[in-house]
Amino acid sequence: MSHGKNVNAQADAKKIEVCYVARVEGQADIRVEVANTGETKAEFAVFEPIRFFEAFLVGRKYHEAHEITSRLCGICPIAHQMTALRAVENALKVKVTHQTRALRRLLALSAWIQSHTLSLYFLTAPDYLGYDGAIAMASKHEDAVRRALRLKKLGNDLGEIVGGRAIHPISAVFGGFTKIPKKEDLTEIRQRLKQEKDDIWTTVSLFNSFKYPEVNRDTDLVAISSDEEYAVNEGRLKSVKGLNVAEEEYRKHIREGEVAHSNTKASTLNGKDFLVGPLARVSLNHQKLSPDAKKAMKELNLQLPSNNPFMHIKARVVEVLYSLDECMRLIDALKLDVAEQPIQATLGTPCEGFALTEAPRGLLYHAYKLDANGIVRKADLVPPTAHNSASIESSLCAYAPEVVKKNQDLQLECEKLVRSYDPCISCSVHVTRLKKGR
Amino acid sequence: MFAKPKPKVAVYKFTGCAGCQMELLRLEDELLDIAEKVDIVYFMMAQSNVELQPYDICFVEGSISTPRELEEVKYIRAHTKTLVAFGDCAVTGCIPSIKNWFPQFDLERTVYKDTTPIKSFKVGGIGEYVPVDLVLPGCPPHKNLIFEVITSAFLGIRPKLRMHAVCMECKLRENVCILTSLGKLCMGPVTRAGCGAICPTYGRECEGCYGPMSDANPSALAEEFRKLGLSSDDIVRKFRKYAGTTEEFKEVAGL
């Protein structure tokens, strides 16, 4: 069986092939080959089966887009829902109320809390503490594992209160919410947010105690950005090197093109790979963080701008802290005195709509063309891991020779690098760059 | 005294979104206790150590849609005592099964320029290919149902899983029927319970994400929908979503 205990370490030690990387969401292989000259080839090859979402969305109604695309990913269903809803609402020119906007932001941040916690404690920490997984880690670090479970549960419970269900929420629909959360539920969860916030500095020091490798290569970092707030569900498309355009312009700038070291196609900006995710967001938008999140940045010595993908880990810690602060702020500001009904669409003319959001692991793009009856005629979806896949390969190429030079464990180090991006492969699989013969 | 060996548990994923595994990990309060009672020997999303050997319980998330998966599910079946079809994809094919109504080549050409490396066939639940011991429906199955399966397996008893309609749970929550009194297009009367009727409780129609209940009568519900003004195309879309290719729904779903 091809997937299983999965190391094919060559006698040569300069070539590794990891079949089925563990502790990432989905199914992917890593292949890295470092020649004696130092020249390196790297492949991040997805073998997750293709699901054809963009194809079978054709023929579905506009109000189903978010329900169906939610099923692209069980870790970031909320991000797909928020993006699909806004893309379709943009197409049909529906502007949601202030309350809906706030509730959606709350819902999206609940997903950041649970996804980042899962990534930090379950997928990342075991590498740095020397365990196979969080359950094994519990033998010596029970406090840390219990803290992680509490924090993750908090994110999920908040998602459930706002969205009706944590995984594949149900109450966020076209034009608004079918039901708004109960005040007493929000008050109760606010107390838990406060408690976890008080405890968050333990997380900050834990992730500050790990030694992260240096990987530095020239690259651009891309995220959405807003003048009003730390951008989550809406904003302009910006990059550290100066891109600054509206979301409708996405396809004019982010293209599928050839990358120098690879003969397959990948997302590129100005012909080069780029990085999306927490590090890109913090780099572009750190001035919008809460005071304590800024303090955590200092404590973690997160120096910006940074091109080192391992700094994603520190950025994730900062964002968990920010999310706790921002969720409390949002709950305090919510009046919830009107039971609003979702705004209905007016159909009748063919239209198209676009939306960019920040999923926990980075920039997410949805675009839909609708006909006069509100039926999807074309769908274009680009999840964060599709944006990052070329960057992952380039970073492996930059990092692997250093690892070989220092005689470190090449497999472990390559896996750590891939995990730092927190790739979500189920999401990205419908735009998988296929390898012949797989 | 001899200590009873811990049951060996595996979690596999095929064509799906990992949401069911995520729901399993939502057993935050119980997870460490479970880990004490059972040996989790294969769970790629959560741990990197891997044991390939006979499993006492294997949770399989996702549907079968490639030759490689078909080979693997047969292998797993041969080495597993209790095989659980874990979630809708493994049970009915779920949302990805919508693709089964499209010609395969059309799908491939819509998404990829070069279709030659694609090895993909009709999306189906694992029960289409191997015998399944336990069916755990839902998109995703509620964590309480997952817990029920784990504890029952540990006790060696049959888990209590519901076969009746969502309507039963909806009544227990004292909801006003949104189908009969509000005219909302609710799939509750043909959908299997287990979620706690969350959608009607949140003021929206059930979309059918737990698949068909036992003895479902989808054509009668389709007739009700027609009376409420739903077009034939919309009715097809309603049933061609989470479980369109099942025996129960395929006629109304337009197969």
Side-chain angles (χ1 to χ4, degrees), chain B:
Chain B
M1 291 296 288
F2 297 103
K4 213 172 143 187
K6 290 182 185 180
K8 292 189 186 302
V9 177
V11 182
Y12 275 82
K13 173 178 175 262
F14 293 124
T15 305
C17 78
C20 299
Q21 296 179 65
M22 288 299 288
E23 185 72 14
L24 171 64
L25 291 175
R26 273 190 66 214
L27 287 164
E28 289 102 351
D29 293 336
E30 296 86 3
L31 211 55
L32 292 181
D33 291 337
I34 293 171
E36 260 178 35
K37 302 275 184 212
V38 304
D39 260 344
I40 301 171
V41 291
Y42 187 98
F43 192 172
M44 288 303 282
M45 194 167 83
Q47 62 191 34
S48 44
N49 68 321
V50 166
E51 277 185 52
L52 279 186
Q53 56 174 336
Y55 306 127
D56 292 298
I57 310 163
C58 182
F59 288 88
V60 174
E61 178 193 345
S63 58
I64 303 301
S65 80
T66 65
R68 173 179 174 157
E69 290 181 328
L70 181 51
E71 290 310 308
E72 284 184 8
V73 79
K74 286 183 191 169
Y75 178 91
I76 293 167
R77 171 68 277 181
H79 296 87
T80 299
K81 271 191 211 157
T82 305
L83 183 64
V84 183
F86 181 27
D88 275 359
C89 284
V91 179
T92 63
C94 197
I95 292 238
S97 75
I98 299 173
K99 90 162 182 118
N100 292 352
W101 277 274
F102 291 78
Q104 179 67 27
F105 193 62
D106 290 358
L107 292 164
E108 294 180 4
R109 286 297 293 271
T110 308
V111 189
Y112 298 99
K113 282 196 188 89
D114 179 9
T115 59
T116 48
I118 300 175
K119 290 176 183 154
S120 171
F121 51 71
K122 181 181 77 75
V123 164
I126 60 172
E128 286 194 31
Y129 300 103
V130 294
V132 168
D133 301 301
L134 192 74
V135 164
L136 189 53
C139 182
H142 193 277
K143 63 176 182 176
N144 292 349
L145 300 180
I146 302 171
F147 193 57
E148 170 75 20
V149 169
I150 295 172
T151 47
S152 303
F154 191 68
L155 296 168
I157 58 170
R158 183 187 291 267
K160 283 187 201 130
L161 296 174
R162 295 170 178 82
M163 297 299 287
H164 53 72
V166 168
C167 298
M168 296 275 281
E169 290 181 322
C170 205
K171 292 285 161 294
L172 287 169
R173 294 190 76 155
E174 303 185 356
N175 293 330
V176 172
C177 178
I178 56 171
L179 174 67
T180 54
S181 36
L182 302 176
K184 287 200 178 175
L185 305 157
C186 186
M187 292 284 281
V190 295
T191 301
R192 197 165 151 170
C195 64
I198 40 175
C199 286
T201 308
Y202 271 75
R204 60 166 294 179
E205 61 276 21
C206 164
E207 291 289 357
C209 81
Y210 274 59
M213 63 179 287
S214 64
D215 288 332
N217 189 350
S219 46
L221 185 62
E223 195 45 43
E224 280 305 309
F225 287 169
R226 197 163 283 126
K227 283 184 206 157
L228 288 166
L230 209 62
S231 72
S232 297
D233 279 355
D234 283 335
I235 290 172
V236 164
R237 271 190 282 268
K238 274 280 206 202
F239 286 89
R240 191 186 285 187
K241 200 185 278 186
Y242 293 95
T245 48
T246 55
E247 273 308 307
E248 290 90 339
F249 286 0
K250 68 181 186 188
E251 199 181 321
V252 189
L255 228 176

Side-chain angles (χ1 to χ4, degrees), chain A residues 296-332:
Chain A
M297 259 177 68
K298 265 201 197 127
E299 204 141 308
L300 287 159
N301 196 22
L302 177 56
Q303 286 174 351
L304 300 174
S306 167
N307 292 340
N308 181 2
F310 283 102
M311 291 304 108
H312 267 311
I313 299 166
K314 289 184 178 181
R316 227 165 259 135
V317 175
V318 171
E319 285 195 337
V320 172
L321 199 156
Y322 171 73
S323 302
L324 295 172
D325 276 344
E326 179 66 0
C327 287
M328 286 191 273
R329 192 193 67 79
L330 284 164
I331 289 172
D332 293 343

Side-chain angles (χ1 to χ4, degrees), chain A residues 99-248:
Chain A
Q99 179 173 287
T100 295
R101 217 184 140 272
L103 286 171
R104 284 184 183 173
R105 185 169 170 86
L106 195 55
L107 194 53
L109 288 172
S110 78
W112 282 22
I113 296 172
Q114 73 86 14
S115 175
H116 280 358
T117 305
L118 186 78
S119 172
L120 287 168
Y121 277 98
F122 287 71
L123 312 185
T124 302
D127 279 334
Y128 295 84
L129 293 169
Y131 293 90
D132 292 326
I135 291 170
M137 204 167 86
S139 58
K140 286 257 173 64
H141 300 272
E142 193 178 331
D143 280 357
V145 175
R146 290 207 181 273
R147 188 185 321 123
L149 289 168
R150 243 182 14 244
L151 205 52
K152 181 170 120 38
K153 187 168 193 239
L154 174 64
N156 281 329
D157 288 354
L158 180 59
E160 194 165 1
I161 286 171
V162 181
R165 176 158 73 181
I167 295 163
H168 305 317
I170 49 150
S171 65
V173 295
F174 182 90
F177 281 80
T178 58
K179 191 180 173 190
I180 54 172
K182 283 189 204 138
K183 257 203 165 134
E184 56 266 35
D185 287 343
L186 286 178
T187 312
E188 191 252 303
I189 202 128
R190 195 200 180 285
Q191 284 169 357
R192 285 170 59 194
L193 286 161
K194 176 77 172 59
Q195 278 163 13
E196 292 309 322
K197 171 66 194 302
D198 293 343
D199 192 35
I200 199 70
W201 300 102
T202 339
T203 300
V204 174
S205 22
L206 177 69
F207 286 89
N208 203 17
S209 70
F210 302 152
K211 199 169 163 0
Y212 302 101
E214 282 291 327
V215 183
N216 275 317
R217 48 178 287 268
D218 181 42
T219 189
D220 206 355
L221 296 90
V222 178
I224 57 168
S225 187
S226 156
D227 291 338
E228 286 166 45
E229 59 197 7
Y230 195 78
V232 178
N233 282 339
E234 55 211 295
R236 288 173 67 79
L237 180 63
K238 284 194 187 172
S239 86
V240 168
K241 289 189 176 174
L243 179 75
N244 182 356
V245 294
E247 60 189 353
E248 303 86 77

